[in-house]
């Protein structure tokens, strides 16, 4: 969030040099800097025991291609809790385990997206009102359906490059996955 007015007193902020941080919005009345920060959210690729991915269409996001389950982290909620909650809310799937794959910063939308791969038993997809359609697709066919959704594409790409490593991570056998090269 880019602050233009002080959240405490409401006065217009000015840019002020703050040590190594560079120029940041500053309130002279309250004598406080208001640092920019992105909104944290999750994006989750759900895989079932048949190596199928749950893909969804949300026309307000992208009309022509599919996306993955995504949502904002609520105050007091961990990223992992958000991933489990959002997947169940949006497509009615209860995941068994998840693995963090990597993070993505979207400066233009002021988002910090935490990417996960979740594992669940195949079940009928029960859609929330914000989802227009959803389907299970073999993971090797999912890449084409995710074109135009760069982050979703990159999470699937990471899964396809090391499915066993991501599964081990989801089961606590591996602490983390290294960030993929850009």
């Amino acid at each position: 969030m880019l602050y233009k007015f002080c959240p405490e007193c409401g006065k217009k902020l000015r840019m002020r040099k703050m040590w190594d941080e560079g120029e940041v919005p500053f309130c002279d009345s309250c004598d406080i800097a208001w640092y920019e920060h992105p909104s944290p959210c999750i994006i989750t690729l759900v895989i079932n025991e048949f190596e199928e991915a749950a893909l969804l269409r949300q026309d307000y996001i992208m009309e022509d291609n599919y996306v993955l389950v995504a949502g904002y982290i609520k105050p007091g909620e961990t990223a992992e809790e958000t991933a489990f909650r959002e997947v169940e809310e949006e497509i009615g799937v209860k995941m068994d385990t998840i693995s963090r794959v990597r993070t993505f910063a979207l400066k233009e939308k002021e988002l910090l997206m935490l990417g996960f791969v979740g594992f669940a038993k195949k079940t009928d997809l029960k859609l929330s009102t914000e989802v227009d359609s959803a389907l299970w697709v073999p993971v090797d066919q999912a890449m084409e359906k995710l074109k135009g959704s760069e982050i979703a594409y990159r999470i699937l790409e990471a899964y396809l490059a090391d499915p066993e490593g991501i599964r081990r991570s989801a089961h606590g056998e591996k602490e983390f996955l290294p960030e993929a090269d850009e």
Side-chain angles (χ1 to χ4, degrees), residues 13-79:
L13 301 173
R14 70 175 177 89
M15 296 307 283
R16 177 176 166 188
K17 182 150 174 57
M18 300 298 291
W19 308 283
D20 293 341
E21 299 301 321
E23 290 196 344
V24 298
F26 187 85
C27 179
D28 290 314
S29 295
C30 297
D31 195 33
I32 190 168
W34 294 97
Y35 292 91
E36 295 179 40
H37 57 275
S39 297
C41 56
I42 61 88
I43 181 166
T44 306
L45 168 66
V46 181
I47 304 288
N48 67 29
E49 71 272 27
F50 302 107
E51 282 298 294
E52 295 173 317
L55 306 182
L56 53 138
R57 295 276 305 271
Q58 292 175 297
D59 290 342
Y60 73 96
I61 294 176
M62 188 175 293
E63 290 183 21
D64 298 327
N65 292 309
Y66 287 82
V67 296
L68 302 179
V69 172
Y72 290 95
I73 298 172
K74 293 180 178 180
E77 194 175 53
T78 68

Side-chain angles (χ1 to χ4, degrees), residues 28-167:
D28 290 314
S29 295
C30 297
D31 195 33
I32 190 168
W34 294 97
Y35 292 91
E36 295 179 40
H37 57 275
S39 297
C41 56
I42 61 88
I43 181 166
T44 306
L45 168 66
V46 181
I47 304 288
N48 67 29
E49 71 272 27
F50 302 107
E51 282 298 294
E52 295 173 317
L55 306 182
L56 53 138
R57 295 276 305 271
Q58 292 175 297
D59 290 342
Y60 73 96
I61 294 176
M62 188 175 293
E63 290 183 21
D64 298 327
N65 292 309
Y66 287 82
V67 296
L68 302 179
V69 172
Y72 290 95
I73 298 172
K74 293 180 178 180
E77 194 175 53
T78 68
E80 293 81 5
E81 289 168 339
T82 303
F84 280 96
R85 176 182 55 77
E86 286 287 343
V87 167
E88 189 168 358
E89 284 177 3
E90 290 190 9
I91 59 173
V93 174
K94 288 188 179 200
M95 294 187 298
D96 300 316
T97 59
I98 62 171
S99 176
R100 184 191 69 82
V101 176
R102 65 172 295 177
T103 60
F104 303 87
L106 295 172
K107 185 174 175 84
E108 66 279 359
K109 293 186 179 181
E110 297 181 0
L111 295 176
L112 178 64
M113 299 191 82
L114 299 119
F116 292 95
V117 174
F119 299 94
K121 299 280 186 246
K122 185 171 184 175
T123 184
D124 290 336
L125 301 173
K126 297 175 185 82
L127 311 183
S128 78
T129 56
E130 67 181 281
V131 177
D132 295 300
S133 64
L135 53 103
W136 289 106
V137 176
V139 292
D140 60 345
Q141 296 173 23
M143 294 297 262
E144 187 62 34
K145 294 190 177 296
L146 292 174
K147 295 249 176 171
S149 180
E150 182 184 347
I151 292 174
Y153 190 89
R154 291 174 70 192
I155 292 171
L156 177 59
E157 190 175 57
Y159 177 73
L160 291 172
D162 188 12
E164 291 312 311
I166 290 175
R167 283 185 186 281

